Amino acid sequence: MTRIIETLAEISARYDALFCDLWGCVHDGVKPLPAAVAALQAFRAGGKKKVILMTNGPRQRSEIAAELDAMGLPRDAWDDIASSGDTARAAMYRGAVGSRVWFVGEPRDEVFFAPMPEITQAVAIERVALADAEGIVCTGPFDPLADPATLRPQLLLAKQRRLKLLCANPDIVVDKGAVREWCAGAVAALYEEMGGESLYFGKPQPAIYDLARSRLAAAGGNLNPGAILVIGDGIGTDIRGALGEDLDSLFITGGLAARDTGTDAAGPGGQPDPDKLAGFVSREMATPTFAAGFLR
């Protein structure tokens, strides 16, 4: 059974490292969440505990760090970043979907194609039209506010040509402030529904946890699985990924699952309704170790 807690401090003594989601936990896509920032700063205050930010953002670590700086997230709230962008880029440069690729995504995500010198014998990637492509690289829809079904005609052609789709962000949706946007995971799921093949990189896939552990080790952290706590608001990504890695988890119910769990920021304590939470995790078949309305 999931234990509902008020604050991270209630359980922090038993953990030496956090693998913490960003969107919906530490920031809302527009600005940092002050209580969450304070909780991470307090966790790291002694100098020995580490925070690795884990994100399904389809960009490399340096780009995400720059975004967080611009947003105003303090550097003393985290140690390093593991992104789906880094794991997906490595797969692309190793030839997962060929060398001639059709790119589906927003212009801001074109940094995905920056070189990766650490990949030896990297495939030379060329962006081409769909008709000339050997595979698809998807960092998200062209328009995150439009129904992914608008891509059906192109995806049908891709399926007929048996192209593989590399999904750089398995999330289906994300909340940017008060606006819900579609992510690459929605495009990949639609492609599979149509009979195509999608390759996923990021939570809950193992590669991003391997990356997070390597960055935790580089930061001098404790790699004992019992000393690591995964924090996130995605039941199908953060929590299912933690279960797959046999790691404890803290489910932040006030994010993507706020309605399903009866979590109301303006309600008593901003906590989930215990019965609704129990029903939700049962339906999702993914039971977190702990749950809290918000990271604080």
Side-chain angles (χ1 to χ4, degrees):
M1 177 179 290
T2 299
R3 174 185 162 192
I4 298 176
I5 62 172
E6 287 281 344
T7 68
L8 176 62
E10 292 178 42
I11 57 172
S12 61
R14 67 182 76 179
Y15 300 107
D16 293 331
L18 305 179
F19 287 173
C20 188
D21 183 34
L22 276 171
W23 286 67
C25 293
V26 179
H27 67 68
D28 65 0
V30 178
K31 62 186 184 304
L33 302 174
V37 173
L40 296 182
Q41 289 171 322
F43 182 83
R44 295 184 68 250
K48 295 183 179 180
K49 295 177 182 283
K50 307 298 180 181
V51 174
I52 305 299
L53 300 176
M54 287 187 69
T55 174
N56 276 351
R59 290 170 296 286
Q60 52 266 55
R61 170 175 53 178
S62 59
E63 292 291 326
I64 291 169
E67 291 174 5
L68 297 179
D69 288 342
M71 188 182 289
L73 183 69
R75 285 274 179 153
D76 65 353
W78 56 277
D79 292 278
D80 210 335
I81 299 169
S83 76
S84 64
D86 279 333
T87 57
R89 293 174 68 240
M92 178 184 72
Y93 279 113
R94 291 186 176 113
V97 290
S99 62
R100 295 163 60 81
V101 302
W102 180 52
F103 174 56
V104 181
E106 297 181 76
R108 70 182 183 128
D109 289 334
E110 291 180 357
V111 294
F112 188 88
F113 296 93
M116 290 190 76
E118 61 268 38
I119 303 297
T120 58
Q121 298 182 328
V123 169
I125 299 297
E126 180 184 2
R127 289 171 53 187
V128 298
L130 174 58
D132 301 318
E134 298 172 343
I136 304 168
V137 169
C138 180
T139 60
F142 293 119
D143 180 356
L145 300 180
D147 191 320
T150 58
L151 288 167
R152 275 187 177 274
Q154 297 99 314
L155 295 180
L156 178 59
L157 175 59
K159 186 204 76 168
Q160 291 170 341
R161 299 188 60 230
R162 298 183 179 180
L163 303 185
K164 294 180 181 180
L165 183 150
L166 185 153
C167 175
N169 177 356
D171 289 352
I172 302 297
V173 294
V174 69
D175 291 328
K176 187 173 184 179
V179 179
R180 180 155 289 190
E181 297 184 349
W182 294 102
C183 299
V187 178
L190 174 61
Y191 191 49
E192 286 186 319
E193 177 187 306
M194 295 172 63
E197 181 179 356
S198 295
L199 308 176
Y200 294 89
F201 296 88
K203 299 173 290 185
Q205 305 302 318
I208 193 170
Y209 294 91
D210 292 340
L211 178 61
R213 278 186 284 261
S214 72
R215 291 190 172 159
L216 175 59
N222 183 358
L223 292 175
N224 182 341
I228 299 171
L229 178 69
V230 175
I231 302 176
D233 71 330
I235 195 76
T237 50
D238 301 297
I239 305 309
R240 189 158 286 123
L243 289 168
E245 298 294 316
D246 198 25
L247 300 173
D248 286 357
S249 61
L250 169 57
F251 180 36
I252 303 303
T253 63
L256 294 171
R259 179 176 297 180
D260 292 304
T261 60
T263 306
D264 182 358
Q271 288 288 70
D273 177 277
D275 292 334
K276 289 184 178 180
L277 171 63
F280 178 67
V281 301
S282 177
R283 290 192 303 274
E284 295 292 328
M285 295 185 289
T287 302
T289 315
F290 306 101
F294 301 90
L295 179 57
R296 54 200 166 194

